[in-house]
């Protein structure tokens, strides 16, 4: 479960630097004039300005009691307001705060988080959930959309609930799409994977989840047999390929952690989806293992060939040098002075015949 700190949800820092106080929390002349027009009394003015500057920073309102005292003191000093933070004790419960919030939203051109804002949030999260699974990602994307469309940010707890709801909706949609692509025969074939075999007492599902081990030449036959077996279990592949890769990987990873009894107890929609995803993933992994083994064997053959060629060259080097020397001597003898018969005699001498 992600926490507020895991996301980009804005929050107040308790250790605020002087630079941050000056650049973020110092009221402008326009803001001071707005406070003067809106409020009566130093406490109300300070409350308004603290609410305004924190709202401006966060995109949502917070109780003044939760605002670090350093921020409140800085705003009071900047606005030359004598009221202290203790004078604001009743501000959060007052009707003035409600009226001030309306003025601040209008000034910042922000819309309150209404039903419309929730619709925008859910739509953004559901769109993101097609390619992302982490709730943190969904919340961060929704925050960005809300800021772009000038909506006040909702409470983090609500965003978290909406992210869960959006992800579950898209996940259920994926389950339905894939399950509907399976025939009754294919569904029965998947269900049979969770039935224990009388001879071994184990289920085919256990074998599917099993790691095939290191792809070595000694395991070649077993890998080929495994690939052929898994090839007969490639069900719903067309519908599966239509799902985003992040969903396929998540479904396969989840399925690999679940045993046969648990798979049998879950809803049919989810069971078939997880099973199909893992069957495809394990088939692809086995195929990769075989390809990896083939490449390594070819590399080893190439290496052995190079070594054999080098050894052959080394073993025949002396004979090669001898033949080259003999050829040179024959050429020299043939090019020597004298009649043809004398030259042939010289060649015969070189050849030792």
């Amino acid at each position: 479960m992600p926490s507020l700190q895991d996301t980009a949800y804005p929050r107040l820092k308790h250790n605020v630097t002087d630079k941050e106080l000056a650049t973020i929390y110092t009221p402008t002349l326009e803001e001071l004039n707005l406070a003067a027009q809106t409020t009566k009394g130093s406490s109300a003015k300070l409350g308004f300005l603290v609410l305004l500057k924190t709202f401006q920073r966060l995109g949502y309102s917070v109780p003044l009691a939760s605002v670090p005292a350093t921020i409140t003191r800085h705003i009071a000093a900047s606005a030359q307001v004598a009221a202290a933070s203790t004078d604001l004790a009743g501000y959060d419960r007052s009707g003035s705060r409600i009226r001030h919030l309306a003025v601040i939203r209008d000034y910042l051109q922000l819309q309150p988080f209404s039903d419309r804002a929730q619709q925008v949030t859910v739509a953004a999260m559901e769109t993101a959930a097609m390619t992302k699974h982490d709730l943190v990602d969904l919340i961060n994307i929704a925050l960005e959309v809300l800021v772009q469309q000038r909506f006040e940010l909702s409470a983090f707890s609500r965003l978290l609930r909406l992210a869960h709801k959006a992800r579950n909706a898209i996940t259920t949609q994926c389950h339905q799409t894939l399950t509907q692509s399976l025939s009754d025969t294919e569904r029965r074939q998947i269900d049979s994977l969770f039935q224990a075999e009388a001879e071994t007492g184990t289920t085919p599902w256990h074998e599917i989840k099993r790691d095939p081990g290191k792809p070595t030449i000694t395991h070649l036959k077993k890998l080929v047999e495994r690939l052929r077996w898994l090839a007969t279990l490639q069900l719903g592949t067309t519908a599966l390929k239509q799902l985003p890769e992040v969903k396929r990987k998540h479904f396969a990873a989840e399925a690999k952690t679940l045993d046969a009894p648990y798979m049998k107890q879950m809803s049919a929609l989810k069971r078939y989806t997880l099973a199909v995803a893992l069957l495809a993933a394990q088939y692809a992994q086995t195929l990769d293992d075989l390809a990896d083994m083939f490449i390594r064997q070819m590399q080893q053959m190439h290496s052995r060939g190079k070594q054999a060629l080098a050894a052959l060259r080394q073993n025949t080097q002396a004979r090669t040098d001898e033949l080259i020397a003999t050829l040179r001597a024959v050429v020299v003898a043939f090019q020597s002075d004298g009649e043809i018969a004398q030259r042939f005699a010289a060649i015969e001498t070189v050849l030792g015949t």
Side-chain angles (χ1 to χ4, degrees):
M1 183 72 66
S3 65
L4 185 148
Q5 289 75 17
D6 297 325
T7 70
Y9 193 85
R11 56 192 183 276
L12 292 175
K13 294 170 57 178
H14 288 280
N15 298 320
V16 189
T17 65
D18 292 339
K19 182 179 179 180
E20 289 171 332
L21 289 172
T23 57
I24 299 174
Y25 297 106
T26 301
T28 64
L29 180 59
E30 182 182 10
E31 292 166 349
L32 291 173
N33 290 335
L34 178 64
Q37 296 168 7
T38 308
T39 65
K40 293 181 179 180
S42 56
S43 296
K45 183 177 182 180
L46 179 58
F48 177 87
L49 288 172
V50 173
L51 187 62
L52 169 62
K53 298 308 291 184
T54 54
F55 202 133
Q56 195 175 53
R57 173 61 173 169
L58 301 175
Y60 62 94
S61 62
V62 295
L64 265 59
S66 67
V67 178
T70 53
I71 294 176
T72 303
R73 287 196 298 268
H74 174 78
I75 294 175
S78 301
Q80 297 182 346
V81 177
S85 57
T86 53
D87 298 328
L88 302 177
Y91 181 81
D92 290 328
R93 300 184 300 274
S94 68
S96 297
R97 174 187 168 88
I98 298 175
R99 292 192 299 272
H100 292 172
L101 275 175
V103 174
I104 289 171
R105 289 192 185 101
D106 184 62
Y107 176 73
L108 298 177
Q109 298 182 347
L110 287 177
Q111 307 171 62
F113 194 89
S114 58
D115 291 342
R116 172 58 184 157
Q118 180 161 313
Q119 292 173 2
V120 169
T121 301
V122 172
M125 287 179 170
E126 288 183 348
T127 300
M130 291 299 298
T131 56
K132 302 180 184 298
H133 194 80
D134 196 329
L135 293 174
V136 170
D137 292 330
L138 304 189
I139 292 173
N140 287 344
I141 289 171
L143 289 172
E144 184 177 352
V145 171
L146 288 172
V147 170
Q148 289 174 349
Q149 299 199 23
R150 305 300 298 170
F151 281 111
E152 178 180 353
L153 299 185
S154 169
F156 179 78
S157 57
R158 178 189 288 183
L159 292 178
L160 185 57
R161 289 195 302 271
L162 293 178
H164 271 291
K165 182 179 178 181
R167 187 175 69 177
N168 291 341
I170 296 303
T171 299
T172 300
Q173 181 181 323
C174 293
H175 291 170
Q176 292 172 341
T177 299
L178 199 146
T179 301
Q180 289 170 0
S181 72
L182 299 173
S183 65
D184 291 340
T185 301
E186 290 173 329
R187 295 179 191 184
R188 287 193 294 270
Q189 191 175 1
I190 292 175
D191 288 334
S192 67
L193 299 176
F194 311 115
Q195 304 299 325
E197 298 175 347
E199 297 179 357
T200 62
T202 60
T203 64
W205 183 250
H206 176 76
E207 179 62 24
I208 289 168
K209 295 199 315 173
R210 182 181 60 83
D211 188 347
K214 297 181 65 175
T216 61
I217 192 64
T218 56
H219 295 150
L220 174 60
K221 185 176 180 180
K222 291 182 179 180
L223 276 175
V224 172
E225 291 175 352
R226 179 178 174 84
L227 184 68
R228 289 173 177 168
W229 176 54
L230 289 173
T232 65
L233 296 171
Q234 295 309 291
L235 312 171
T237 53
T238 301
L240 184 65
K241 289 178 181 178
Q242 293 175 354
L243 299 183
E245 183 181 5
V246 66
K247 292 297 182 186
R248 297 197 300 267
K249 287 184 176 180
H250 172 76
F251 292 150
E254 183 178 357
K256 199 168 185 180
T257 65
L258 305 176
D259 57 20
Y262 193 93
M263 291 290 291
K264 289 170 65 176
Q265 292 174 4
M266 71 173 54
S267 68
L269 291 176
K270 185 175 182 179
R271 177 170 65 251
Y272 294 136
T273 301
L274 297 189
V276 166
L278 183 61
L279 288 169
Q282 295 297 79
Y283 178 79
Q285 183 61 57
T286 304
L287 193 61
D288 287 345
D289 289 343
L290 282 170
D292 181 59
M293 184 172 60
F294 174 77
I295 292 171
R296 283 195 287 176
Q297 289 300 313
M298 293 300 295
Q299 290 174 336
Q300 291 176 7
M301 289 175 60
H302 180 67
S303 177
R304 289 195 295 267
K306 289 177 65 177
Q307 293 173 1
L309 178 60
L312 177 63
R313 286 175 175 171
Q314 183 176 1
N315 294 336
T316 59
Q317 188 66 47
R319 179 59 177 163
T320 301
D321 293 343
E322 181 182 346
L323 290 173
I324 292 174
T326 300
L327 176 61
R328 182 180 183 282
V330 168
V331 172
V332 171
F334 180 77
Q335 293 178 343
S336 61
D337 298 333
E339 300 296 329
I340 293 297
Q342 293 175 327
R343 296 179 184 180
F344 278 119
I347 290 174
E348 290 176 353
T349 301
V350 171
L351 298 177
T353 57

